[in-house]
Amino acid sequence: MAGEGDNGNPDPGTPGSGDSSAKPWWRRPPFVAAATAVAVAVIGGWLQQGGISLVENLFSDEGEAVPPRVNVKMADRSMCTTWLLRGDPYQVADRLSQDLSRDAPNEFDPKQSSVAERIRREVGARLPTGAAVDVAVQGVKGKDIILTGLDVVVKNRSQQVPGKLMGIGVGCGDILTPRQYKVSFDDLKPSFKLVKNLPNGSPNPKAVDFPYKVSPGDPEYFVLLGSSKGFAEWTAKLRWISDGEQGETAIDAKGGSFMSFPSSSEDEDFHYNNRTFALTKTPHKQ
């Protein structure tokens, strides 16, 4: 039987009675609420001061080898170049003359290029895409990358040109670039060589060989010049070092091979004049 004053309820002062005053001080509601508010304020300020970027860095590829960004532009214009023809040059010239004289009779009409490209595709003529390959390289994600060299990869080559060569276009000029690497597929073991002289024979002060350092704000630009007395299909590999790791990046024609064959006026069998719409046989080939 309960004593006087004992109503059968547990003593409110004993543990487990539900009285918050009996809990440890760090578990009491006032302290928990205050601590939560402080934590929210601290985390909010930390995020504003760049905490998000710190979190991102925990999951980033910092410390891993990051390849350079490589942009490739090949010589794929259908005007001011050389076509490697499969068929009769005179039939190709007739088609050019008919469409150009009708749709773009003025040599300065930009439609001449589109007309020439359409006919080139229709007749299956090939372009010397490997004659001048523009390559721009830069670092990414704030990293400096060291470019250490270039290797040529020969896919196919022949001593014979599989067709007739027809130059097309008049009034074309060349643009000199700071760094040019030349490769001849007539060599037993083709390799890239830095072109050190200007067209006039004087040294080019900007012709500096590998290695180069590239970064997001400091890219490098060079041109690969592939030549052949016959026919060659090729790609290249750019060697580099990033975060102490070595790597290679392919340089190719949109996943395919560049093509190199004779493409100078001295080598062409015919020349098509887009001003007069006339095809002439090269004198030294007559």
Side-chain angles (χ1 to χ4, degrees):
M1 177 180 291
E4 185 179 356
D6 187 353
N7 57 10
N9 294 327
D11 185 351
T14 60
S17 65
D19 186 353
S20 62
S21 63
K23 296 180 180 179
W25 62 270
W26 63 85
R27 296 179 58 190
R28 294 175 184 174
F31 176 79
V32 172
T36 301
V38 171
V40 170
V42 171
I43 292 174
W46 176 69
L47 292 175
Q48 290 181 356
Q49 294 298 319
I52 290 177
S53 63
L54 295 177
V55 172
E56 289 177 344
N57 286 338
L58 293 177
F59 302 96
S60 70
D61 55 2
E62 188 71 25
E64 297 181 359
V66 178
R69 181 179 292 113
V70 178
N71 294 312
V72 178
K73 183 179 179 182
M74 56 184 170
D76 58 356
R77 294 186 307 167
S78 289
M79 294 292 289
C80 293
T81 186
T82 301
W83 292 12
L84 177 55
L85 302 176
R86 294 177 177 175
D88 184 354
Y90 291 98
Q91 291 182 358
V92 174
D94 287 344
R95 293 192 60 180
L96 282 167
S97 299
Q98 179 179 347
D99 288 14
L100 286 174
S101 60
R102 181 190 65 230
D103 300 329
N106 190 321
E107 64 176 295
F108 299 107
D109 192 329
K111 287 194 298 183
Q112 278 207 348
S113 293
S114 60
V115 171
E117 172 63 10
R118 174 176 54 79
I119 294 176
R120 184 193 69 80
R121 290 179 178 273
E122 290 174 355
V123 301
R126 289 183 280 185
L127 296 174
T129 52
V133 180
D134 297 347
V135 182
V137 187
Q138 65 183 136
V140 294
K141 296 186 178 180
K143 292 181 177 291
D144 291 340
I145 299 175
I146 306 300
L147 309 182
T148 58
L150 276 168
D151 297 320
V152 64
V153 181
V154 181
K155 302 292 186 177
N156 178 37
R157 63 174 170 172
S158 169
Q159 294 182 348
Q160 301 297 321
V161 179
K164 295 295 184 181
L165 301 174
M166 184 187 77
I168 176 171
V170 294
C172 306
D174 296 327
I175 299 176
L176 178 66
T177 54
R179 275 188 267 271
Q180 296 181 333
Y181 285 89
K182 191 172 184 178
V183 55
S184 172
F185 295 99
D186 303 316
D187 295 342
L188 183 61
K189 294 183 178 180
S191 62
F192 289 109
K193 298 178 178 63
L194 179 67
V195 179
K196 297 183 178 181
N197 293 333
L198 297 170
N200 62 8
S202 61
N204 181 359
K206 295 184 178 181
V208 180
D209 210 345
F210 290 99
Y212 310 136
K213 182 175 76 172
V214 297
S215 63
D218 187 20
E220 284 291 344
Y221 173 72
F222 48 88
V223 178
L224 310 182
L225 307 173
S227 65
S228 176
K229 294 179 180 178
F231 176 81
E233 295 177 284
W234 60 278
T235 61
K237 290 181 180 178
L238 176 66
R239 291 182 275 113
W240 47 265
I241 297 175
S242 172
D243 282 326
E245 297 291 332
Q246 298 184 26
E248 294 179 341
T249 296
I251 298 175
D252 54 40
K254 300 178 182 178
S257 301
F258 302 113
M259 285 180 283
S260 291
F261 49 81
S263 56
S264 68
S265 58
E266 292 79 14
D267 296 310
E268 63 192 29
D269 301 296
F270 298 86
H271 191 88
Y272 182 81
N273 190 316
N274 58 306
R275 293 175 180 171
T276 63
F277 310 128
L279 180 71
T280 57
K281 192 172 180 63
T282 305
H284 62 268
K285 292 294 183 76
Q286 292 181 357

